[in-house]
Amino acid sequence: MVNLAAFASGRGSNFSAILTYLEERSLPAHYAVLVSDRAQPACAEIALAKGIPFLHLNPKTFASPDEYAARLLRELESYGVEWITLAGYLKMIPALVVQRYAGHILNIHPALLPLFGGPGMYGEHVHKAVIESGMKVSGATVHLVDEVYDHGAIVLQETVPVHFEDTPETLAHRVLEVEHRIYPRAVELAVLGKIRIHGRRVEILP
Ligand code: GRF
């Protein structure tokens, strides 16, 4: 069994989609812990219902970023975590954690990276920027996490059309359906050892 950690700040629909996928396919992986910077996010209810431990760690309550990172690493170690999945986690992952879990942290972004990523590009802001750009396609990206926001190597992407009538809400809804399809698939590839990194390019092994 591969032990996973989820980091989430909000509703957790991606976390939920991955959980369902792992269960339905009887994949050799399970969530050992859900970590959040918030005390009572909606995603904690999902964890509770599945008996997954919930850990509230607010970076602001630590004396320094290094103390926060050290605590996170101790917790992840204690749960035997091999892969971290970020799912709507709104805080930066400390560099020490990124280094320790290099190539073993996945994130989902609701646009086609490397476009429409980086600081401030989250939630509705992303879809608003896509619509205003005039682009006819958007989509979702699952990528490995490095020390630069929304920058790591791309694992999976899928596109959706952008319609003239779209609002950030309607586009977000269309993109979310794709997120729920490709994120579980990327986690499956990760736990089955089918992701091979070549610099910025990712090879998906058969
Ligand atoms: C998703 O749109 C994801 O792409 C982004 O944050 C949102 C999280 O949604 N990183 P949910 O909490 O998984 O429902």
Side-chain angles (χ1 to χ4, degrees):
M1 264 297 169
V2 176
N3 288 340
L4 307 170
F7 281 49
S9 305
R11 87 196 137 174
S13 70
N14 278 286
F15 172 49
S16 182
I18 298 167
L19 275 169
T20 305
Y21 189 91
L22 294 176
E23 273 176 24
E24 282 177 0
R25 305 201 167 213
S26 306
L27 289 169
H30 78 120
Y31 276 103
V33 63
L34 168 69
V35 179
S36 184
D37 54 311
R38 299 206 173 141
Q40 291 180 313
C43 56
E45 297 299 319
I46 300 168
L48 190 69
K50 296 281 180 191
I52 298 166
F54 171 67
L55 184 61
H56 170 222
L57 287 182
N58 180 354
K60 288 188 193 140
T61 60
F62 288 83
S64 70
D66 279 359
E67 273 192 31
Y68 167 58
R71 172 70 188 280
L72 263 181
L73 284 173
R74 271 204 309 280
E75 295 285 356
L76 295 169
E77 185 89 3
S78 77
Y79 286 104
V81 169
E82 289 179 52
W83 277 89
I84 298 172
T85 60
L86 310 182
Y89 186 66
L90 296 176
K91 293 279 186 297
M92 195 79 183
I93 300 297
L96 285 171
V97 176
V98 175
Q99 284 154 16
R100 159 67 182 80
Y101 281 90
H104 281 72
I105 309 178
L106 292 170
N107 183 41
I108 180 99
H109 185 75
L112 296 173
L113 293 176
L115 300 175
F116 307 107
M121 278 293 175
Y122 62 90
E124 174 168 310
H125 303 291
V126 178
H127 305 295
K128 196 163 176 282
V130 169
I131 290 169
E132 284 173 1
S133 77
M135 280 196 59
K136 298 294 186 193
V137 289
S138 188
T141 303
V142 180
H143 65 95
L144 292 159
V145 171
D146 64 14
E147 287 171 45
V148 182
Y149 218 85
D150 292 335
H151 173 267
I154 293 167
V155 178
L156 291 179
Q157 282 184 313
E158 192 178 315
T159 58
V160 301
V162 180
H163 303 309
F164 182 73
E165 300 75 20
D166 268 328
T167 63
E169 292 73 27
T170 60
L171 182 55
H173 181 77
R174 196 173 306 121
V175 170
L176 195 63
E177 284 180 4
V178 166
E179 293 184 39
H180 293 168
R181 196 159 51 241
I182 67 171
Y183 207 1
R185 173 78 185 124
V187 173
E188 176 179 27
L189 293 171
V191 300
L192 296 180
K194 294 188 173 182
I195 292 177
R196 187 171 294 166
I197 308 164
H198 306 262
R200 290 207 51 75
R201 299 174 69 221
V202 169
E203 178 185 7
I204 306 295
L205 301 177

